[in-house]
């Protein structure tokens, strides 16, 4: 039966209790009860929500001076965190917080205008006020207790930023009570923003989240200090502490849960589709006045706006160092097991790093300006290699590859890769001596040949990255050179080329890599040239690829016999690094969230040509040179998301059989001819024509079987004047599009859903943005 809103004694029992924790609230308020109240006595649920918000507003107004007030605020905060997901899962209730509650015990209608704020807005404003509440979430600046307490409305919250860093020099004394209180409030904010989880993924990424939109608007007077606090608290965090081993076991670290929560709130507030660059006004129309030509307004989302306007070198340095320190943390190997704390929020950090580079081009150029970019690259390659066999971490694989694709569009990235790789992070890859470029190629080879079958849509991206950096690679090691040729060998077998409409693209990418290195970096790359000469038959076979129907059928027959297309035999893997563990598949029972399909590489990138002076100019989107069939097939571009596990039996896992092999498409002689005639083999054929007879002659004259003499000869040889005119360098740069924006939204919320297990805020509610699956 409905309880009167004025019955204070009844409602106060919900928040008066002193010794509760958020876990207690979750235990005491079971899901079934919340749903029952929602269905059977909706007015009580409405009153409860309204009363809890009212208590938060009162706490924010008064400044929470007494222990009792603080306890009430925290309990209301926990209660709302518990209830909100059940409000969001029911479409009829979703608008509730955006309605105004008419005269619910507000003592007459005299103050109507003030009370006309929707509940959601009152809630968000109260939480932001509470996040800068002296002695509750921030250090009080008042020294004497005689003074009346600071008035919360006259506070300049910019003086109370939580941590030194961007735009703030003073590092406040850490206070674990404040950290705990901030964490609880941020958890509530994140829960407010999670309405997005209850809407199915849509191609229209412009439907903004009303909670985030209001929170990041000028209505929030704390937007700037809050943005700065969140960013600084994440980037200043050092999990290892003072370098004392086992330190984290002696002292409970109150900062880490806060840092995680801050990182999650930050990436959610930055969920903004940068491909729709016109900034719509609040009512959805796009503003276009004469004023706009001068200086287009930044996005309405202040967090995105502030992020894009950071520009001081020392701020960039602070952010980059912080992100690199945290990303490298799981790689830190000590001689004492478990002696250093390992953080778990690397996926949130990768999303944050992506947003920084995507929204702030100055930051991207700063990252690439020095070899500091390698401090981001190595952890990403470590995660990619480590997660390659684990289907529950396909999302992590994607974001790592997306970041490398974004970086590879800039010349500096390729140049930086020439730095020798000397740090020895234990990775399950062959031991090699060489540069960061070698590391990248060896890890990519490992992903393609021994990764989970679901990674196949990423092959285009991986090879595009290698193409983008190839013109700048001064000297590949023998190990990396052999890996590239092994990939070409695997991708140029007839059955693979004929088994799916887009497979030949991979061969085009690899040939482009060889051409770039031979034309632009021949001098230092005797290892690669030697590998090309040794495997010359692969190139001759490609040049003589049969195109008649009978041979096509025969090639496809061969596929049915081989179960494991990429042979591992002729890839001499050698010994893996010391201390490394092989990449493990997901443990049975692991929870994972589904992802939407990513756009094909032709939608993901746009081509730019590099001029002689090193500047790039964008090429008009022409018909793709590779594909005579227009775009990539539906199987890879859009349509069926490939994240839903297909029911493959174990031996049916032909790793490279394509999604479109179910029989709608068959290869024809005309189709093979259409792309075979475009294979860019001229440069390599000319190189073989010149060098093979010379190498053979050395072998005969000196009776050599020794590689070093041949390599010495190749090092001093030159092909100047003998090769065709160098082709212009083509770079495929990542371009923002709504497909990736939607992918990031589902990935980010999936990570947040799975990482918030204590308490399990969204567990067992009717989430629509993704499916929760068990491995």
């Amino acid at each position: 039966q409905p309880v009167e809103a004025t019955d204070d004694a009844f409602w106060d029992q919900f928040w008066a209790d002193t010794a509760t924790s958020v876990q207690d609230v979750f235990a005491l308020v079971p899901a079934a009860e919340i749903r029952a109240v929602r269905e059977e006595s909706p007015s009580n649920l409405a009153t409860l929500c309204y009363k809890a918000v009212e208590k938060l507003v009162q706490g924010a107004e008064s400044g929470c001076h007494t222990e009792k007030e603080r306890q009430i605020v925290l309990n209301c905060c926990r209660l709302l965190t518990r209830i909100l997901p059940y409000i969001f899962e029911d479409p009829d209730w979703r608008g509730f917080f955006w309605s105004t509650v008419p005269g619910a015990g507000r003592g007459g209608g005299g103050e109507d205008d003030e009370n006309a704020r929707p509940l959601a807005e009152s809630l968000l404003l109260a939480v932001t006020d509470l996040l800068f509440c002296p002695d509750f979430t921030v250090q009080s600046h008042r020294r004497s207790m005689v003074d009346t307490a600071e008035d919360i409305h006259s506070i300049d919250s910019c003086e109370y930023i939580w941590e030194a860093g961007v735009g703030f020099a003073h590092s406040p004394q850490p206070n674990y009570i404040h950290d705990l209180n901030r964490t609880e409030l941020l958890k509530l904010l994140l829960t407010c923003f999670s309405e997005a989880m209850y809407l199915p993924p849509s191609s229209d990424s412009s439907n903004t989240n009303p909670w985030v939109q209001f929170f990041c608007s000028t209505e929030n007077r704390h937007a700037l200090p809050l943005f700065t606090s969140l960013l600084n608290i994440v980037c200043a965090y050092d999990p290892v502490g003072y370098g004392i081993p086992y330190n984290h076991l002696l002292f409970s670290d109150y900062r880490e849960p806060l840092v995680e929560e801050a990182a999650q709130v930050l990436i959610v507030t930055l969920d903004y589709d940068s491909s729709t660059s016109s900034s719509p006004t609040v009512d959805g129309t796009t503003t276009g006045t004469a004023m706009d030509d001068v200086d287009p307004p930044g996005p309405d989302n202040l967090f995105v706006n502030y992020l894009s306007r950071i520009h001081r070198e020392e701020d960039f340095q602070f952010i980059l160092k912080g992100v690199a320190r945290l990303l490298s943390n799981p790689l830190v190997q000590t001689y004492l097991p478990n002696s250093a704390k390992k953080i778990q929020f690397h996926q949130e950090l990768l999303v944050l790093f992506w947003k920084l580079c995507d929204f702030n081009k100055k930051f991207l150029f700063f990252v690439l300006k020095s070899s500091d970019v390698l401090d981001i690259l190595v952890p990403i390659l470590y995660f990619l290699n480590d997660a390659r066999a684990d289907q529950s971490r396909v999302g992590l694989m994607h974001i790592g590859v997306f970041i490398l694709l974004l970086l590879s569009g800039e010349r500096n990235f390729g140049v930086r890769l020439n730095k020798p790789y000397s740090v020895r992070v234990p990775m399950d890859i062959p031991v090699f001596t060489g540069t960061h470029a070698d590391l990248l190629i060896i890890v990519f080879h490992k992903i393609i040949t021994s990764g989970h079958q679901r990674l196949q849509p990423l092959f285009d991206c991986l090879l595009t990255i290698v193409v983008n950096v190839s013109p700048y690679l001064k000297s590949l090691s023998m190990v990396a050179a052999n890996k590239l040729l092994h990939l070409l060998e695997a991708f140029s077998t007839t059955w693979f080329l004929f088994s799916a409409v887009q497979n030949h693209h991979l061969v085009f990418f690899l040939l482009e890599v060889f051409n770039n290195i031979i034309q632009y970096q021949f001098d230092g790359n005797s290892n690669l040239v030697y590998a090309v000469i040794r495997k010359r038959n692969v190139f001759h076979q490609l040049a003589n690829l049969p195109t008649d129907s009978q041979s096509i059928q025969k090639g496809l027959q061969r596929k049915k016999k081989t179960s494991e297309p990429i042979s591992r035999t002729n890839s001499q893997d050698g010994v893996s690094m010391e201390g490394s563990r092989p990449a493990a598949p997901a443990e049975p029972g692991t929870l994972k969230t589904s992802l939407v399909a990513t756009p094909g590489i032709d939608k993901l990138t746009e081509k730019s040509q590099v001029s002689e002076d090193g500047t790039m100019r964008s090429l008009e989107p022409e018909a793709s040179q590779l594909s005579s069939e227009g775009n990539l097939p539906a199987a890879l571009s859009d349509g069926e998301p490939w994240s839903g596990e297909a029911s493959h039996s174990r031996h049916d896992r032909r790793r490279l059989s394509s999604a479109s092999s179910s029989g709608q498409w068959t290869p024809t002689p005309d189709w093979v001819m259409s792309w075979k005639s475009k294979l860019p083999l001229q440069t390599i054929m000319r190189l073989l024509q010149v060098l093979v007879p010379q190498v053979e002659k050395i072998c005969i004259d000196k009776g050599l079987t020794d590689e070093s003499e041949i390599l010495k000869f190749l090092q001093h040889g030159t092909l100047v004047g003998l090769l065709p005119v160098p082709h212009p360098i083509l770079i495929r740069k990542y371009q923002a599009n709504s497909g990736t924006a939607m992918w990031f939204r589902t990935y980010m919320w999936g990570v947040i859903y799975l990482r918030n297990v204590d308490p399990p805020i969204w567990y067992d509610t009717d989430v629509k943005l993704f499916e929760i699956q068990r491995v």
Side-chain angles (χ1 to χ4, degrees):
Q1 67 286 4
V3 180
E4 276 305 308
T6 45
D7 182 356
D8 284 343
F10 174 80
W11 298 109
D12 283 351
Q13 64 184 356
F14 285 98
W15 30 82
D17 199 358
T18 47
T20 53
S21 68
V22 66
Q23 286 78 7
D24 294 340
V25 172
F26 272 67
L28 291 169
V29 186
E33 261 179 52
I34 304 174
R35 289 193 175 111
V37 174
R38 187 182 71 196
E39 305 311 323
E40 288 148 31
S41 42
S43 67
N44 283 357
L45 183 61
T47 308
L48 181 64
C49 291
Y50 156 68
K51 285 282 191 188
V53 173
E54 189 180 47
K55 287 289 173 200
L56 288 180
V57 173
Q58 284 167 6
E61 297 278 333
S62 72
C64 284
H65 299 304
T66 65
E67 194 46 52
K68 185 173 181 222
E69 283 176 283
R70 289 173 201 159
Q71 201 52 59
I72 288 176
V73 162
L74 289 174
N75 283 341
C76 290
C77 185
R78 293 159 187 160
L79 193 66
L80 286 166
T81 303
R82 180 63 172 140
I83 292 172
L84 274 166
Y86 298 91
I87 300 276
F88 294 151
E89 73 174 0
D90 184 336
D92 297 338
W93 274 85
R94 219 166 277 150
F96 168 72
F97 270 84
W98 294 96
S99 58
T100 47
V101 183
R106 288 201 185 186
E111 55 235 278
D112 247 2
D113 45 41
E114 176 49 36
N115 289 341
R117 251 195 202 295
L119 209 49
E121 295 186 4
S122 307
L123 169 57
L124 290 171
L125 292 175
V127 172
T128 52
D129 275 343
L130 287 164
L131 285 168
F132 292 100
C133 182
D135 291 328
F136 180 54
T137 49
V138 290
Q139 222 61 59
S140 172
H141 289 186
R142 295 274 163 128
R143 283 294 151 261
S144 71
M145 289 312 288
V146 187
D147 270 339
T148 49
E150 292 160 279
D151 173 26
I152 197 147
H153 287 292
S154 63
I155 275 180
D156 175 8
S157 44
C158 285
E159 294 172 12
Y160 289 90
I161 288 170
W162 299 350
E163 186 56 78
V166 176
F168 194 65
H170 166 66
S171 185
Q173 192 59 41
N175 177 322
Y176 79 95
I177 300 282
H178 294 175
D179 277 2
L180 289 174
N181 294 342
R182 292 165 179 174
T183 306
E184 298 231 33
L185 288 162
L186 290 180
K187 228 186 240 326
L188 173 56
L189 269 184
L190 198 58
T191 310
C192 291
F193 297 158
S194 71
E195 184 178 328
M197 279 197 219
Y198 297 89
L199 303 169
S202 70
S203 51
D204 174 26
S205 53
S206 58
N207 48 8
T208 42
N209 180 332
W211 295 83
V212 173
Q213 195 175 7
F214 179 80
F215 181 77
C216 298
S217 71
T218 46
E219 294 271 354
N220 177 358
R221 71 190 184 99
H222 302 296
L224 180 60
L226 198 50
F227 168 77
T228 314
S229 295
L230 295 172
L231 183 63
N232 291 353
I233 216 109
V234 172
C235 295
Y237 180 54
D238 183 359
V240 179
Y242 303 106
I244 307 163
Y246 300 104
N247 201 16
H248 64 291
L249 300 178
L250 305 177
F251 305 101
S252 183
D253 177 358
Y254 295 96
R255 188 45 59 105
E256 189 182 13
L258 174 63
V259 174
E260 286 201 8
E261 217 65 53
Q264 292 178 0
V265 168
L266 203 49
I267 60 179
V268 170
T269 54
L270 296 169
D271 177 18
Y272 176 80
D273 183 359
S274 60
S275 65
T276 56
S277 46
S278 63
S279 57
T281 50
V282 183
D283 61 350
T285 54
T286 317
T287 48
T289 60
M291 297 288 290
D292 290 355
D293 302 340
V294 192
D295 193 11
D300 294 334
N301 177 326
L302 289 180
F303 277 39
V304 175
N305 205 333
Y306 297 144
L307 186 78
S308 64
R309 297 211 321 247
I310 298 172
H311 61 275
R312 288 179 18 208
E313 293 265 310
E314 55 268 41
D315 289 343
F316 287 156
Q317 188 61 34
F318 164 75
I319 294 172
L320 180 59
K321 276 275 181 279
V323 173
R325 179 193 326 112
L326 291 170
L327 283 178
S328 321
N329 163 270
L331 289 58
V332 174
Q333 284 297 316
T334 56
Y335 295 104
L336 303 165
N338 305 327
S339 63
K341 177 164 189 146
K342 277 203 172 154
I343 60 156
Q344 301 296 325
F345 55 99
H346 48 273
Q347 300 192 85
E348 293 92 320
L349 285 166
L350 289 171
V351 175
L352 178 60
F353 183 76
W354 168 269
K355 300 277 182 197
L356 281 156
C357 293
D358 195 21
F359 296 152
N360 190 325
K361 286 298 167 251
K362 287 198 184 90
F363 177 75
L364 176 63
F365 297 139
F366 177 85
V367 169
L368 293 164
K369 202 173 69 174
S370 74
S371 50
D372 288 351
V373 66
L374 302 175
D375 298 336
I376 300 284
L377 170 76
V378 172
I380 289 180
L381 291 175
Y382 172 85
F383 293 130
L384 290 178
N385 189 57
D386 187 54
R388 67 177 191 268
D390 182 343
Q391 54 166 310
S392 69
R393 292 199 281 168
V394 168
L396 170 62
M397 297 294 293
H398 275 74
I399 184 160
V401 172
F402 283 157
I403 289 174
L404 298 183
L405 180 64
L406 181 69
L407 295 173
S408 76
E410 307 297 330
R411 171 181 177 273
N412 263 354
F413 182 64
V415 174
R416 298 281 161 238
L417 289 178
N418 290 310
K419 188 176 175 183
Y421 176 67
S422 49
V423 268
R424 286 282 169 248
V425 174
M427 283 164 83
D428 162 34
I429 53 171
V431 178
F432 70 97
T433 306
T435 64
H436 285 75
D438 295 308
L439 177 68
L440 177 123
I441 287 167
I442 291 167
V443 169
F444 283 11
H445 173 269
K446 202 79 170 164
I447 294 168
I448 291 172
T449 55
S450 65
H452 192 269
Q453 60 187 19
R454 283 244 197 102
L455 300 179
Q456 207 185 329
L458 279 178
F459 290 1
D460 278 338
C461 267
L462 291 167
L463 293 186
T464 298
I465 294 165
V466 181
V467 174
N468 281 349
V469 301
S470 59
Y472 312 110
L473 304 183
K474 292 197 179 342
S475 80
L476 287 182
S477 69
M478 192 58 97
V479 179
N482 284 334
K483 296 298 181 210
L484 286 174
L485 278 141
H486 177 235
L487 289 178
L488 182 70
E489 222 176 338
F491 289 151
S492 60
T493 57
T494 47
W495 73 259
F496 179 66
L497 285 172
F498 298 157
S499 65
V501 68
Q502 78 290 350
N503 284 354
H504 62 278
H505 293 185
L506 299 173
V507 169
F508 276 79
F509 285 140
L510 284 164
L511 290 175
E512 204 176 325
V513 171
F514 297 135
N515 287 339
N516 281 342
I517 293 178
I518 292 166
Q519 287 280 19
Y520 291 98
Q521 299 288 351
F522 179 82
D523 286 352
N525 272 301
S526 51
N527 287 331
L528 183 77
V529 174
Y530 177 64
V532 167
I533 292 174
R534 273 188 50 210
K535 292 282 187 191
R536 54 189 178 278
N537 61 326
V538 181
F539 299 98
H540 291 304
Q541 279 166 5
L542 266 175
N544 300 319
L545 189 72
T547 56
D548 56 290
S549 313
Q550 202 179 352
S551 307
I552 293 176
Q553 282 317 307
K554 210 159 154 191
L556 289 171
Q557 290 309 307
R558 204 167 301 157
K559 161 189 176 185
K560 297 201 170 57
K561 291 193 211 105
T562 49
S563 60
E564 190 67 75
I566 292 200
S567 57
R568 314 217 173 150
T569 45
N570 54 2
S571 151
Q572 303 92 359
D573 249 10
V575 190
S576 272
M577 289 184 163
E578 194 185 338
S580 66
R581 295 192 314 276
E587 292 283 318
T590 309
L591 286 180
K592 65 191 179 86
T593 53
S594 63
L595 294 161
V596 293
T598 47
I601 193 74
D602 51 339
K603 301 232 175 36
L604 210 55
T605 55
E606 80 181 341
K607 290 187 182 149
S608 299
Q609 196 168 319
V610 181
S611 325
E612 312 245 318
D613 59 357
T615 54
M616 288 193 197
R617 59 185 187 82
S618 175
L619 296 178
E620 284 306 305
E622 37 163 343
S624 160
Q625 292 162 314
L626 304 182
S627 155
S628 54
E629 298 286 297
N631 291 337
L632 295 181
L636 285 196
S637 45
D638 39 27
E640 189 53 27
W642 37 265
S643 55
E645 178 66 282
S647 50
H648 288 308
S649 60
R650 182 80 29 103
H651 56 260
D652 188 38
R653 281 190 44 190
R654 291 197 294 270
R655 173 162 284 101
L656 287 172
S657 65
S658 109
S660 61
S661 60
S662 47
Q664 318 89 324
W665 172 85
T666 48
T668 62
D670 285 351
W671 171 78
V672 179
M673 276 306 298
S674 70
W675 54 262
K676 179 189 166 182
S677 59
K678 297 196 183 91
L679 283 168
L681 287 163
Q682 304 78 344
T683 301
I684 293 169
M685 288 309 185
R686 184 79 186 117
L687 171 134
L688 292 172
Q689 198 185 348
V690 175
L691 292 178
V692 170
Q694 298 181 340
V695 170
E696 282 176 342
K697 186 172 182 312
I698 295 177
C699 292
I700 294 164
D701 289 357
K702 303 205 171 162
L704 277 184
T705 48
D706 180 23
E707 294 187 348
S708 58
E709 284 288 325
I710 301 170
L711 285 168
K712 204 172 291 173
F713 161 72
L714 292 174
Q715 262 159 11
H716 298 104
T718 173
L719 290 177
V720 174
L722 296 171
L723 291 176
V725 178
H727 54 282
I729 297 174
L730 266 190
I731 301 291
R732 294 173 180 79
K733 292 181 75 130
Y734 168 81
Q735 53 172 357
N737 60 73
S738 49
T740 35
M742 195 63 226
W743 183 89
F744 270 97
R745 183 175 300 170
T746 52
Y747 170 60
M748 167 184 79
W749 279 114
V751 168
I752 290 172
Y753 176 98
L754 292 174
R755 299 258 301 106
N756 282 275
V757 284
D758 185 27
I761 302 182
W762 301 281
Y763 189 68
D764 266 352
T765 58
D766 189 12
V767 171
K768 293 278 197 299
L769 185 62
F770 44 77
E771 289 171 35
I772 294 98
Q773 301 156 338
R774 269 189 198 283
V775 173

